[in-house]
Amino acid sequence: MIGALIIGCEIAFWIFVLAGLSARYILGWKKAGAVLLVCTPIVDLLLILATVIDLRNGAKAEFMHALAAVYIGVTVAYGHRMIKWADERFAHKFAGGQKPAPKPRHGEAHARMERQGWYRHLLAWVIGSVLLGVMIVVVGDQDRTKELGLMVLRWAAILGIDFVISFSYTLWPKKA
């Protein structure tokens, strides 16, 4: 059930983003667009509440429960950036805005972008790990929440791999 809810929340996130940007740029309803964009964090709140309620009602934590916290961490860390990315494209296509600048592909600018991406990943990991820790404390049963603690460790390993890759561009920048 939690897996379906995660998928539903991801779909709802993009529906609110597209509806908000469409209202803002296509229909010219700036306030309505802002309200729709503000609804995106509400989707995240509903997901984490449903996950905690499911665990409090006796469910044993599974991978999908842990993935809900990962999803929230990633959405909080990357959500504004994703919305900004979509906003630039909508503004360009529907409101005569400037064409979005391409991402740097080499040199110091590329290395900086990779480092900033890793910092954002670190933020996502911290937020997700805190949520996982809170869920473990709220449930109060280590046997039922073992999977949540394992997710922190798995994600930390992925974060470490991302660190090596992201910071390698600082030492060995991509050539033009």
Side-chain angles (χ1 to χ4, degrees), residues 18 21-22 25-26 85-96:
L18 292 174
L21 295 175
S22 295
Y25 292 114
I26 296 172
W85 176 88
D87 187 63
E88 288 172 347
R89 278 136 188 87
F90 260 75
H92 172 65
K93 185 162 180 93
F94 298 109

Side-chain angles (χ1 to χ4, degrees), residues 53-145:
I53 289 169
D54 190 40
L55 291 171
R56 290 284 295 164
N57 286 339
K60 183 176 180 183
E62 296 176 356
F63 177 79
M64 292 311 250
H65 291 94
L67 189 60
V70 171
Y71 173 83
I72 300 300
V74 169
T75 301
V76 171
Y78 289 93
H80 184 269
R81 185 175 175 184
M82 289 187 288
I83 292 171
K84 183 180 176 196
W85 176 88
D87 187 63
E88 288 172 347
R89 278 136 188 87
F90 260 75
H92 172 65
K93 185 162 180 93
F94 298 109
Q98 291 183 349
K99 184 175 181 178
K103 293 191 309 186
R105 297 189 180 267
H106 48 70
E108 175 56 33
H110 178 262
R112 186 179 326 105
M113 180 190 71
E114 291 291 336
R115 289 190 307 269
Q116 289 170 346
W118 185 83
Y119 296 138
R120 197 168 296 278
H121 187 177
L122 175 63
L123 176 63
W125 179 81
V126 168
I127 292 167
S129 295
V130 167
L131 287 173
L132 289 164
V134 168
M135 289 192 297
I136 290 168
V137 169
V138 167
V139 172
D141 183 348
Q142 289 185 5
D143 291 333
R144 285 190 18 234
T145 58

